[in-house]
Amino acid sequence: KQEVTQIPAALSVPEGENLVLNCSFTDSAIYNLQWFRQDPGKGLTSLLLIQSSQREQTSGRLNASLDKSSGRSTLYIAASQPGDSATYLCAVCLISNFGNEKLTFGTGTRLTIIP
Amino acid sequence: KAGVTQTPRYLIKTRGQQVTLSCSPISGHRSVSWYQQTPGQGLQFLFEYFSETQRNKGNFPGRFSGRQFSNSRSEMNVSTLELGDSALYLCASSYSGGYQETQYFGPGTRLLVL
């Protein structure tokens, strides 16, 4: 059974600092990995999707890396801003028992950027 | 293009009742997935529908069911509600549900069971 872990559960950093969020998964046979952000009481917003054949993806101040062999992904946020405060979730996509794809989510890291 | 919409946004029910939640996907999307989010278990996959057929399901009891209509709108139903069913229920849509696609999530329906 795929397990996805995100450590730490919560993180506070001063505005302007660069930071890294971590995600680890137990089954390396994944199709892709996605990073989402969730604002309080709201749904999820997809940030980056990395296919299993890729090593990293970038979008603005965000950079996500993927190391399938070690079962790890990182989300790098450069020059953090108060608007980056949210819960960040990673999710891996793998074949389900029914032969279709499904997402397995991590427990998330609650990020607070201190002005 | 309008995003994924879910109704109602908030719901309060009592134990033993049943509830129906609705999800309207992004126009043109045919795959709709449902997730349950709780503080203790995190986000867990419930089921996925594509072209009115359930194509994938998670490990939830039979009290949780769903369906999809010809216009891709989806409903999920929970019968005989239990306190532990209190959660944020999220739906997500994508064009075909393929692994290479990004899923777009709605704002969720927050269900409180008393």
Side-chain angles (χ1 to χ4, degrees), chain A residues 31 95-101, chain B residues 55-56:
Chain A
Y31 278 137
I95 288 286
S96 74
N97 292 335
F98 293 86
N100 295 308
E101 302 82 18
Chain B
R55 191 165 66 171
N56 198 354

Side-chain angles (χ1 to χ4, degrees), chain A residues 9-13 19 21 77 80-82 84-88 109-113:
Chain A
L11 181 66
S12 295
V13 300
L19 61 101
L21 305 180
I77 301 177
S80 59
Q81 302 172 357
D84 295 330
S85 297
T87 296
Y88 289 80
T109 294
R110 188 173 69 252
L111 176 65
T112 302
I113 304 300

